[in-house]
Amino acid sequence: MERKIEAYIFDMDGVLVSTEKYHFASWKRLAETLGFSIDEEFNEQLKGVSRAVCIDLIVAHGNLQKSQEEKDMLAAQKNEWFLEYISEISQKDVLQGVLSFLQSAKQKNIKMAVGSASKNAPLLLQKMGITHFFDAIVDGNSITNAKPNPEVFLKAAQNMNVSPQKCLVFEDAQSGVTAAKRAGMFCVGIGNSEILSEADVCFPGFATISIEKLEDIFSNNTCG
Ligand code: B16
Ligand code: MG
């Protein structure tokens, strides 16, 4: 029996916009003020997970002991730098191919949601002028369990009134791909297929993705 996708759920950072470089720059700057450095490989662990989990990972990486109050202050500092870095973001920063993909999906009446760990998601979507495309926005302000917990994607499906089996998630982070699979959803990895090995299929970005191609892959996939 042919299966159809009824809804798309987009991660934000690294999928709709390349803000991951600003998250990385802010965490690196913070680590350096604490006396150590972080590299791109370590940064893979920070992608997709909440600010609070990131600060725990950073502190552990530097073999430091910090109280909750100190960690909150460090996280606030990181966010202040991140907000400075993203202050000039506008529609020109939407990743290549994303805008035309959103327009085509809207024309086909496919439901769409954002499922992001970021508390800055509403601000960034507004800066990029793409908020109106989405039927639901579930972000770091509305969830209690960070990815790889599936809560963010299950909530997005529920808010759109679509069953998880009919949702397709776009993700650039290992933690996010795991969350999508735990939610019982088909997952399209955006980025390196070796890093995102749990995804059902991988593309380097939206420039090479079309709705027709996705329908084809989804309907022929028996284990997604
Ligand atoms: P904030 P996503 C995630 O967004 C980022 O990938 C991750 O690097 C960041 O730490 C997290 O949001 C929290 O962001 O500090 O802005 O609340 O990829 O799930 O859209
Ligand atoms: Mg991401």
Side-chain angles (χ1 to χ4, degrees), residues 5 58 110 125 127 183 205 213:
I5 304 164
I58 299 256
I110 298 173
L125 295 170
K127 276 176 159 300
K213 211 184 264 185

Side-chain angles (χ1 to χ4, degrees), residues 179-195:
K181 295 314 297 172
R182 285 189 189 161
M185 298 177 182
F186 191 85
C187 185
V188 175
I190 302 292
N192 185 328
S193 59
E194 277 171 32
I195 296 176

Side-chain angles (χ1 to χ4, degrees), residues 6 17 40 46 48 56 74 86 103 109 112 118 125 143 154 160 191 221:
E6 287 185 11
V17 57
E40 299 258 5
L46 305 180
D56 284 341
L74 291 168
I86 63 159
Q103 281 156 353
N109 289 322
M112 289 189 281
S118 178
L125 295 170
I143 50 163
L154 290 172
M160 292 188 288
N221 187 288

Side-chain angles (χ1 to χ4, degrees), residues 123-135:
L123 170 72
L124 274 160
L125 295 170
Q126 180 239 318
K127 276 176 159 300
M128 294 186 286
I130 57 172
T131 309
H132 64 282
F133 282 110
F134 302 105
D135 303 287

Side-chain angles (χ1 to χ4, degrees), residues 11-15 20 47-48 147 171-173:
D11 170 57
M12 185 188 69
D13 293 300
V15 168
E20 283 304 352
K47 289 186 182 175
K147 298 170 188 174
E171 252 298 344
D172 73 310

Side-chain angles (χ1 to χ4, degrees), residues 14-26:
V15 168
L16 300 174
V17 57
S18 65
T19 34
E20 283 304 352
K21 58 180 184 259
Y22 300 127
H23 280 296
F24 179 50
S26 318

